[in-house]
Amino acid sequence: MTSDPAPGPASTRRARVRRVRPADAARMRALRLEMLADAPLAFLETLADAAARPHADYAARIAYTAAGSSNAQFVADPSGRLVGHAGGTATPDEPGLTVIFAVYITPSWRRSGLLPDLIDAVADWSRACGRPELMLEVVVGNERACRAYRRLGFVDTGRRLPHPTIPTLTELQMRRPA
C-alpha cells in the first residue's frame, strides 16, 4: 500500500476525485473503518458493526454504487489509499433531490481542497441524473462542518430532525442547487 504524499502544505497536494469502481472494495472498506473510528457520530453504523461485515458485503455495495442513477459514491484517490468520500442517493419523496451522505476526508488531507471536489462530483452526477438540488444533514453543534458546507453554498433550511441512530442528537438540514 502506498502511503500519503510527502507532508507539505495541504493546498499543494491533489487527489483525483472519481466514482468508485468494483475494484475499490478493499480500499473502500479501509476508508469506511477509518471514517467510523475518526467520527463515530457522523455515520449510521458503529465501527464494530462495519468491521464485522464480510468483504463480500462491501464488494456488493461498491459494485451497486459504481454505476447507475439512484446511488453513487465518489472517492478522492491520490494513488494509494483512498483519502476522501462523498455519496449521493435519490429519494423517492422528492424526485429532483439528491441526498448527500457519508462525507469524509482523512485528517491529513483536510483543507486540501478535496471537500469542494467531492461535493462537485456528487452535484455533477445529480444534475446528469435530472436532480437539480442537493441536501445533506449535519449533527447540530458540528460547527466546523456547517461552516464548510456554507462556504460551498449550502443553506440551513431551519428543519431539525432526530439523529437516526442516536436519540440524544439532532441533525440540521442544509440544501443548495446541484
Side-chain angles (χ1 to χ4, degrees):
M1 181 181 287
T2 305
S3 62
D4 283 343
S11 62
T12 64
R13 296 182 292 163
R14 297 304 298 172
R16 185 170 64 103
V17 173
R18 61 171 175 78
R19 193 162 183 179
V20 294
R21 298 184 292 248
D24 293 325
R27 294 190 309 151
M28 215 23 245
R29 182 179 190 275
L31 184 62
R32 180 68 178 173
L33 297 177
E34 176 187 324
M35 293 163 68
L36 292 165
D38 185 49
L41 301 180
F43 307 106
L44 302 182
E45 70 179 330
T46 67
L47 177 58
D49 288 343
R53 191 170 336 117
H55 175 74
D57 288 359
Y58 282 95
R61 173 74 178 165
I62 296 307
Y64 175 71
T65 61
S69 62
S70 62
N71 290 284
Q73 292 184 54
F74 297 88
V75 291
D77 184 357
S79 297
R81 74 182 189 95
L82 302 178
V83 298
H85 176 274
T89 189
T91 175
D93 299 336
E94 291 187 57
L97 178 70
T98 291
V99 177
I100 295 176
F101 66 90
V103 177
Y104 179 77
I105 297 172
T106 295
S108 65
W109 278 82
R110 291 178 186 155
R111 300 178 190 232
S112 67
L114 284 182
L115 182 61
D117 293 348
L118 287 163
I119 297 301
D120 286 347
V122 176
D124 292 346
W125 169 78
S126 183
R127 284 190 310 275
C129 295
R131 293 187 301 271
E133 187 174 17
L134 302 174
M135 187 270 288
L136 54 79
E137 294 167 350
V138 179
V139 171
V140 170
N142 187 347
E143 289 306 314
R144 186 182 77 195
C146 288
R147 282 190 306 273
Y149 292 131
R150 279 193 296 271
R151 283 192 298 271
L152 297 177
F154 285 90
V155 176
D156 183 344
T157 67
R159 187 163 183 216
R160 301 296 181 265
L161 307 159
H163 189 281
T165 60
I166 304 170
T168 57
L169 296 178
T170 302
E171 293 186 318
L172 62 90
Q173 185 182 90
M174 301 179 88
R175 292 183 179 230
R176 76 158 222 207

